[in-house]
Every structure is written in structure tokens, then in C-alpha cells.
Amino acid sequence: MGRFRSRGRLRLGTSVSANLNTRRYENGLRRALGGMSNDVKRAVDRTRIDVQNEARRRAPVDTGRLRSSIVSRAETSGRTAGYVIGTNVNYAAAVEYGTAPHVIKPKYKQALYWPGAAHPVAKVNHPGTRAQPFMRPAIEMTEIFFRANLSQIRGR
């Protein structure tokens, strides 16, 4: 069975990656079909696209900026095929993991004010936001997508 690892927390400028150990699959394909390593790479690449699309599908939408910023790239070296999927928007981690209650204070002014507020205030006690995971559930589907893509290749 292939294994995948996801590394790190989703932060600005970072990403989540998945590495598939394709040796077992590749060895089985070589025995059965005579050296289909390009097909295994193709299955990993299709899996990368499937996971990217799943993360986009699961991403909450307000303006669409987060959803459209989700990208992926292949990372293949030697006998290891993998990919990195991520986003560069600065609030992605807050959406994925939620935020704890916190105090909002003005940075440049003496008070906070917004349209509809009764009066300016010195601080706001924010209750926090609930987590809306979109990247982790997509990454968790890596093996399911990989098996489906591999079976399509075998079924040709």
C-alpha cells in the first residue's frame, strides 16, 4: 500500500506536500506489464490534479481569492514521485485551522471604527473563528485518488 506524508502547517509562503512511495506499485507494474514507470508518474500527476481540485472544491468562498490561489507542482526525484500543493494567501492558515479568541487593537489610530458602529472603540474582543479545513481533507484523499488513477492505467 502506498504511503503519503503531509508536512508542516499551512502558513503564508508554505505548503502541504504529499509523497507517494511508488516502489511497490511500480515493481508490480514492471512484473505485470514490463516497465510502466511512466504510467506510475502519470498516475501521480493525475492524483496531484485531483487533490488540487478537491482542495479548491472544499475551500470556503467569499471573494474566491483563496480558492483560485490553490496551486500544485510535481516533485519527482529518482524513484520517488510526489507533489506539493499550497496557497500563498496570508489568511489560509486561519481558515484551515481557525483562530482562538483574541483582542483587536488599532495599529495606527487611537480607536477602531467601521460603518454601522455606534461609536469608535479602543479594542474589540473577537470570539475567534471556527476551522474550515479544506487542504487537510483533500490531502487525506491522496491514496484514494492514486488507487483510482492507477486502476485506470491498468485497465487500458
Side-chain angles (χ1 to χ4, degrees):
M1 182 179 300
R3 299 268 179 214
F4 71 91
R5 292 179 285 148
S6 93
R7 294 184 291 209
R9 287 179 60 101
L10 187 65
R11 294 188 188 112
L12 178 62
T14 63
S15 57
V16 179
S17 67
N19 288 319
L20 289 166
N21 181 353
T22 59
R23 258 190 215 120
R24 181 173 170 215
Y25 295 107
E26 188 171 351
N27 289 339
L29 280 173
R30 282 181 187 216
R31 281 192 303 274
L33 304 172
M36 300 295 284
S37 62
N38 286 337
D39 286 341
V40 172
K41 289 178 185 175
R42 193 174 308 119
V44 171
D45 199 49
R46 288 180 185 171
T47 300
R48 173 183 64 84
I49 299 298
D50 289 341
V51 172
Q52 175 184 301
N53 289 339
E54 183 68 17
R56 285 180 178 172
R57 186 185 70 75
R58 289 175 176 266
V61 178
D62 186 13
T63 64
R65 181 173 174 225
L66 176 61
R67 177 177 281 177
S68 66
S69 73
I70 298 170
V71 295
S72 64
R73 73 173 186 275
E75 285 192 343
T76 305
S77 63
R79 297 179 61 89
T80 303
Y83 58 89
V84 174
I85 181 171
T87 175
N88 63 352
V89 298
N90 60 353
Y91 56 86
V95 173
E96 179 81 13
Y97 298 105
T99 60
H102 56 282
V103 176
I104 301 173
K105 294 181 180 178
K107 286 184 179 180
Y108 306 109
K109 305 279 182 171
Q110 293 180 1
L112 298 168
Y113 181 79
W114 57 94
H119 54 80
V121 294
K123 67 179 182 175
V124 174
N125 291 316
H126 192 285
T129 57
R130 67 177 176 79
Q132 299 179 68
F134 60 97
M135 196 70 77
R136 290 174 294 163
I139 288 289
E140 289 169 1
M141 295 182 70
T142 295
E143 193 157 350
I144 295 166
F145 288 136
F146 182 67
R147 285 176 183 249
N149 288 323
L150 198 58
S151 68
Q152 285 178 356
I153 289 171
R154 287 179 180 165
R156 272 201 262 157

